Amino acid sequence: MVVRGRIPKVRKILIRNNVDELNTTAAGLVIAIALESIELRGKFSIALAGGSTPRSLYTLLASDNYRKKIDWSKVTFFFGDERNVPPDSDESNFRMANESLLSPLGIRSTKVNRWKTELEPVNAAAEYEVKLEENGPLDLVLLGLGPDAHTASLFPHTHALREKEKLAVANWVEKFQTNRLTMTYTAINQARDVMFLVAGQEKSDAIAAVLEGKTRVEEFPAQGIKPTSGSLTWVIDEPASSKLKPS
Ligand code: 6PG
């Protein structure tokens, strides 16, 4: 008897010619993980990545080609991180995902766990921690990668990198002179699956450092993403992979 169970702990690096092919691959993986999670547990929880890269993936998932592939009523949404701005700010990760995915799919607000940026950052993080604890390990965490090898809002040399207990923190980022709100390594590494989406030549140095460089997590925070038992998949476009050693 074949027992459908956990995807074994594997690390996959998928290189695609361009952003369209990256998104098609990523959408297929998201759908597959969601269907397995809903089949096994009757639900699917996903932490969305912020920034600009994932917008086109979210638009694709909300398109007629994909929207009917999942029972979205069984999906609970989180955000890997958030800027310390109102939800209607053009910098808000919530706003970006709401415009490209959540509203087009008609997702009920009760299924969307927004960081409450109207609160003081520390209080917003504490409130988010409770939501994450109530949910338990996420089924999927989507992540981006900055040119400085940050991911979520885990920036180089910031205190959130050293947080071992909490699942969500406010993280002062000196170079931006502002707090960011972010899931910690502890929260992300508990996930059943973690997927990086990385596109663009400007990410090529960070990709090479994270995937092939010496382990220096304080300098290259994305190196700290090591799922405890889940899988880790990198979906990268050709330009972003251009400094990787030929495999
Ligand atoms: C954010 C993201 C951040 C992002 C990277 C890549 O709040 O900005 O969480 O980690 O994923 O900075 O951003 P781009 O996709 O815009 O290059």
Side-chain angles (χ1 to χ4, degrees), residues 48-61:
L48 300 176
S52 55
T53 302
R55 183 187 283 266
S56 50
L57 168 63
Y58 300 160
T59 302
L60 181 63
L61 286 169

Side-chain angles (χ1 to χ4, degrees), residues 49-54 81 83 93 143-146 150-153 180 203:
S52 55
T53 302
D81 72 319
R83 290 81 179 276
N93 288 335
L143 294 171
L145 183 74
H150 82 265
T151 190
S153 282
R180 285 284 194 95
K203 308 293 177 75

Side-chain angles (χ1 to χ4, degrees), residues 6-24:
R6 287 288 320 118
I7 296 174
K9 181 175 175 180
V10 293
R11 184 181 91 160
K12 282 183 284 189
I13 299 175
L14 306 173
I15 298 173
R16 295 295 179 263
N17 293 323
N18 53 52
V19 172
D20 285 347
E21 290 182 20
L22 179 154
N23 285 335
T24 301

Side-chain angles (χ1 to χ4, degrees), residues 31-173:
I31 298 291
I33 294 167
L35 289 172
E36 178 179 73
S37 181
I38 291 167
E39 181 186 344
L40 292 175
R41 289 178 292 280
K43 57 183 179 177
F44 173 58
S45 57
I46 180 172
L48 300 176
S52 55
T53 302
R55 183 187 283 266
S56 50
L57 168 63
Y58 300 160
T59 302
L60 181 63
L61 286 169
S63 71
D64 289 346
N65 291 345
Y66 286 87
R67 61 187 300 127
K68 296 185 175 61
K69 291 178 185 283
I70 307 179
D71 177 355
W72 294 99
S73 71
K74 294 196 164 57
V75 182
T76 302
F77 293 88
F78 292 82
F79 293 83
D81 72 319
E82 187 55 278
R83 290 81 179 276
N84 190 25
V85 296
D88 61 354
S89 163
D90 58 10
E91 287 182 46
S92 165
N93 288 335
F94 165 79
R95 176 176 167 180
M96 180 273 286
N98 195 41
E99 289 173 347
S100 56
L101 181 68
L102 305 174
S103 286
L105 288 175
I107 304 295
R108 292 169 47 210
S109 60
T110 52
K111 302 293 276 185
V112 181
N113 293 285
R114 176 178 68 82
W115 293 82
K116 295 272 174 48
T117 53
E118 56 274 30
L119 302 174
E120 283 303 307
V122 171
N123 297 335
E127 194 258 358
Y128 215 74
E129 171 106 8
V130 172
K131 289 176 176 173
L132 288 169
E133 283 172 345
E134 285 169 354
N135 184 78
L138 293 160
D139 294 307
L140 176 60
V141 175
L142 298 181
L143 294 171
L145 183 74
D148 60 358
H150 82 265
T151 190
S153 282
L154 299 165
F155 284 87
H157 311 298
T158 56
H159 78 81
L161 304 187
R162 297 177 285 279
E163 175 57 53
K164 304 288 184 216
E165 304 299 321
K166 291 184 179 140
L167 303 178
V169 294
N171 191 29
W172 177 257
V173 186

